Amino acid sequence: MCVSLPAKIISIDGQVALVEINQLRRNVMLAVEGARAGDWVLIYGGAALCLLDEDAALETMRLLDGLAQ
């Protein structure tokens, strides 16, 4: 089973974004037009697929953290 995760963009270099997910950073392919550092995106399969509202991203992270407990 694959899960999409919300992540915050730290920086962008061309089509690669450095994102942070729960204090872990990784590079992903950026498949979202108009994304900027500070935006929240949905990560799936190593790519940022769409922009997310910050409230929705944080709520999703809270729910996923609850499942992990």
Side-chain angles (χ1 to χ4, degrees):
M1 176 174 87
C2 296
V3 175
S4 300
L5 298 173
K8 188 171 188 176
I9 297 176
I10 304 303
S11 63
I12 298 173
D13 184 12
Q15 292 298 312
V16 177
L18 175 64
V19 299
E20 185 171 278
I21 305 169
N22 280 346
Q23 301 173 341
L24 298 174
R25 292 185 176 192
R26 65 177 292 179
N27 289 314
V28 298
M29 294 302 300
L30 188 58
V32 180
E33 299 251 347
R36 302 178 311 217
D39 286 345
W40 285 86
V41 289
L42 192 61
I43 305 297
Y44 179 81
L49 299 178
C50 64
L51 290 171
L52 285 180
D53 167 277
E54 182 175 15
D55 291 335
L58 294 174
E59 176 66 9
T60 300
M61 294 302 293
R62 185 186 70 75
L63 292 170
L64 289 172
D65 286 342
L67 289 174
Q69 302 298 325

